[in-house]
Amino acid sequence: MVNTEIPNNCTTSPSSFSGTPLLTINREATIDLDSTNSFEGPEKLLEVWFSASPQSLPEASAAGGLKVVPPNVWKDMLDLVNCKVLSIVESEEVDAYLLSESSMFVFPHKLILKTCGTTTLLSGLPKILEIAALEARFPHSLADASQGQATAAAPYRVFYSRKNFLFPDRQRGPHRSWRNEVNSLDRLFVGGSAYMIGKMNGEHWYLYLTEPNTMLTPPATPDREQPIKVLDLPESKLTAERCSMEDEGQDETLELLMTDLEPDNAKQFYLDHASAVAEGKYFHQAHKARVDAHQQLGSIEGVDEARIPEPQKIEGQTGKLCDDSFDVFSNTSDEHSPCASDDELTFPQELTTEGHALGTVVSESCGLSAVYPSAKYPDARIDAYLFTPCGFSANGVIPSPATGGSTHYFTVHVTPEPHCSYASFETNVPSCQTGRETTDVIQQVVGIFKPGRFSVTLFEAKDLADDDVGLAKKKGSKLEAIKGYRRVDRIVHDLEGYELVFKYYERFDWEGGAPRLGEVGF
């Protein structure tokens, strides 16, 4: 496990466990964060792969691949994107960065960067290629000087995607239109393909991807500093075999993009509501501690059990004294523990202001932590943050419960304001590992937010043993009907090495009218 000291002014969780993910919080970046002016929830999503799997890194590259890159180097790249690092969860296989605008995940062989608002994600892509070359020592060549970098690593594959923006006129840099984004990517890579999936005059999703062994634009000079190892995506096997192998090359990503959240569900992600929930739970635990102490030790001097006031009940909230699941990273200080013996209890200030403590409360109370429960994933860690006056972000690092299995992730971001409400959920935890159908995961997440409408994308490495008909049936079986919703669109794409299923749903009782498109077509 790597224990970094960067970014500066970070603190490490006092409850980190040996062999499990480690949390680092950037206190400086959390000062004066305010989501009042947040308006564009739909994120831009970039994946840059430098090899097909962690096991197939080029011979001359650094042993840890991208994970050897210091956090401060990534911070410089994120400055170009216009976002900050709030905290980092480190594990052996992936480092999860919680950002002021969404998330970043760093594996040895790939980087995933997801940013919302008016961030300029593609402005950081040339820097990512340079970092991969100079820090991780991936095969590289001279870069196009117009991009501002001297050298660039040649990626194995690149994926860029996003939903149609709600407010495209407020975007900056290359993100003012899909056409501009495609042009920006085409200036970097040879042979990329751009798609619009869904209705041109309705909800739709954009995708740009390159073929395996991507070539840079302009073409690299003949004399490369290091030879590029030619790799192919590993051939898929039957589901059972694929699960037992836990091969990162067997890539599967599920993404839910939800709009028009039910107001009662959206209010869970407001600071005032979360603080009230935390206060009710805190004093309920304190009361229970007093009662238990009285029952076990006898009368406490000066305390009459009958006069111990019952705390106000918070509907839907349950908890037990010192429940580990309540305090995922010990973000609240020990001196404020409900187990404290002080006669006078003071409600912790960190449970009244934005930050990781209230983020942990929300992830528990809304049901997010139950999507991949600790009973099944004992080493899983959730890093969550609640913004002022509202808004929520969380990263989950999910080590496989199987010995020697891979570590996966999930990430959630919420903009709850009624005029632009939006939530996203993304994960690469294989459906075969959860023991549930993909539909069950979708149903559980949708139940947390109850959106008026939502899109689903399921991106999965192609099983070369399937024919087109069999593959379509296989994908369809993973996304059956969602209770309370009608399916409006279903599209299956056969891509290079991957299959993509796109579905769009609307709630049966939704009365909000046509969706806010913002951006129409190409």
Side-chain angles (χ1 to χ4, degrees):
M1 181 182 300
V2 181
N3 184 6
T4 65
E5 299 178 355
I6 306 172
N8 295 325
N9 302 314
C10 293
T11 60
T12 301
S13 166
S15 65
S16 300
F17 300 94
S18 177
T20 58
L22 172 69
L23 173 71
T24 302
I25 300 174
N26 185 357
R27 302 292 185 188
E28 186 176 77
T30 63
I31 298 174
D32 296 328
L33 278 179
D34 192 323
S35 66
T36 304
N37 297 320
S38 293
F39 60 89
E40 189 67 72
E43 301 99 341
K44 314 162 184 83
L45 174 60
L46 175 69
E47 289 196 27
V48 186
W49 294 52
F50 292 95
S51 70
S53 72
Q55 293 75 32
S56 58
L57 297 177
E59 293 181 1
S61 64
L66 294 174
K67 275 178 57 62
V68 306
V69 178
N72 237 21
V73 175
W74 292 127
K75 177 181 176 295
D76 291 340
M77 180 274 293
L78 292 169
D79 285 343
L80 301 174
V81 178
N82 293 297
C83 59
K84 302 294 182 183
V85 176
L86 301 182
S87 53
I88 309 170
V89 176
E90 298 170 326
S91 70
E92 294 297 330
E93 296 187 41
V94 58
D95 295 336
Y97 289 68
L98 195 65
L99 308 178
S100 55
E101 284 83 9
S102 300
S103 302
M104 181 173 74
F105 297 90
V106 180
F107 295 82
H109 66 301
K110 67 179 179 181
L111 177 141
I112 301 172
L113 180 57
K114 188 171 193 172
T115 65
C116 61
T118 57
T119 52
T120 52
L121 185 150
L122 291 180
S123 296
L125 181 51
K127 187 67 173 179
I128 292 172
L129 301 180
E130 181 184 67
I131 290 170
L134 299 180
E135 300 286 342
R137 302 196 302 276
F138 282 103
H140 55 279
S141 62
L142 295 177
D144 183 356
S146 65
Q147 300 292 335
Q149 269 67 51
T151 188
Y156 174 66
R157 296 200 75 167
V158 176
F159 304 85
Y160 175 72
S161 64
R162 65 172 176 83
K163 180 187 177 296
N164 54 293
F165 288 135
L166 300 179
F167 306 96
D169 56 310
R170 301 183 188 180
Q171 291 297 319
R172 296 180 291 173
H175 299 288
R176 292 188 176 91
S177 73
W178 178 240
R179 185 184 299 275
N180 289 345
E181 290 171 313
V182 171
N183 289 338
S184 177
L185 290 161
D186 280 344
R187 284 196 296 269
L188 288 171
F189 309 115
V190 172
S193 301
Y195 301 86
M196 189 195 78
I197 301 168
K199 296 180 178 178
M200 182 177 294
N201 60 345
E203 292 282 350
H204 51 272
W205 187 72
Y206 296 106
L207 171 67
Y208 181 98
L209 76 164
T210 65
E211 296 180 352
N213 304 307
T214 301
M215 293 183 63
L216 297 173
T217 304
T221 56
D223 295 330
R224 293 182 179 272
E225 296 186 20
Q226 300 161 0
I228 290 183
K229 184 178 180 180
V230 178
L231 303 167
D232 293 321
L233 283 175
E235 182 176 347
S236 300
K237 294 179 171 58
L238 296 176
T239 301
E241 295 175 342
R242 196 165 60 201
C243 292
S244 63
M245 290 175 62
E246 292 289 329
D247 191 336
E248 186 65 31
Q250 309 307 320
D251 188 36
E252 177 182 331
T253 301
L254 172 69
E255 189 176 24
L256 277 68
L257 309 175
M258 299 165 278
T259 59
D260 305 294
L261 311 183
E262 182 69 20
D264 284 345
N265 296 63
K267 72 181 182 182
Q268 301 176 95
F269 305 98
Y270 280 79
L271 190 146
D272 289 347
H273 182 274
S275 184
V277 169
E279 183 175 7
K281 186 169 184 176
Y282 180 84
F283 286 110
H284 177 81
Q285 292 178 346
H287 172 79
K288 186 176 183 299
R290 292 294 187 98
V291 172
D292 288 348
H294 180 80
Q295 291 174 344
Q296 295 178 17
L297 302 176
S299 177
I300 300 176
E301 183 178 356
V303 177
D304 182 354
E305 178 183 349
R307 297 180 61 188
I308 299 177
E310 286 288 343
Q312 182 179 0
K313 182 179 180 181
I314 304 296
E315 191 66 29
Q317 298 306 307
T318 60
K320 61 181 179 179
L321 183 62
C322 297
D323 185 350
D324 290 341
S325 66
F326 171 70
D327 186 9
V328 177
F329 284 109
S330 289
N331 290 317
T332 54
S333 59
D334 293 337
E335 63 184 347
H336 294 308
S337 169
C339 302
S341 59
D342 297 341
D343 289 338
E344 296 297 327
L345 291 173
T346 302
F347 187 53
Q349 183 179 1
E350 56 262 44
L351 293 179
T352 64
T353 58
E354 75 164 67
H356 291 84
L358 277 183
T360 299
V361 170
V362 172
S363 69
E364 288 287 327
S365 63
C366 75
L368 175 63
S369 61
V371 176
Y372 300 109
S374 58
K376 183 174 178 62
Y377 300 94
D379 292 328
R381 291 292 176 265
I382 299 176
D383 178 19
Y385 194 97
L386 188 70
F387 295 89
T388 299
C390 61
F392 174 82
S393 288
N395 286 340
V397 175
I398 315 293
S400 170
T403 302
S406 298
T407 298
H408 300 92
Y409 73 90
F410 76 83
T411 183
V412 174
H413 303 282
V414 186
T415 301
E417 294 94 326
H419 66 286
C420 59
S421 63
Y422 172 83
S424 68
F425 173 88
E426 178 188 340
T427 183
N428 74 338
V429 178
S431 56
C432 53
Q433 186 185 100
T434 66
R436 298 186 294 168
E437 293 293 331
T438 303
T439 304
D440 297 332
V441 176
I442 295 173
Q443 193 79 60
Q444 185 173 1
V445 173
V446 167
I448 294 173
F449 302 100
K450 200 176 179 181
R453 61 191 102 232
F454 69 95
S455 299
V456 177
T457 62
L458 178 62
F459 213 82
E460 190 171 8
K462 186 184 299 183
D463 190 336
L464 300 180
D466 279 333
D467 58 22
D468 291 341
V469 175
L471 184 60
K473 289 182 178 179
K474 173 187 172 186
K475 301 301 179 183
S477 67
K478 289 191 174 184
L479 298 176
E480 297 296 339
I482 305 300
K483 295 179 182 178
Y485 290 83
R486 69 182 184 93
R487 194 190 73 214
V488 178
D489 269 342
R490 177 181 181 275
I491 300 170
V492 179
H493 271 270
D494 183 359
L495 303 169
E496 178 71 33
Y498 283 88
E499 289 295 328
L500 168 67
V501 177
F502 170 89
K503 289 193 177 185
Y504 169 62
Y505 297 84
E506 291 184 354
R507 207 170 70 219
F508 283 125
D509 62 350
W510 173 247
E511 298 178 352
R516 181 200 297 268
L517 292 181
E519 181 179 12
V520 179
F522 190 77

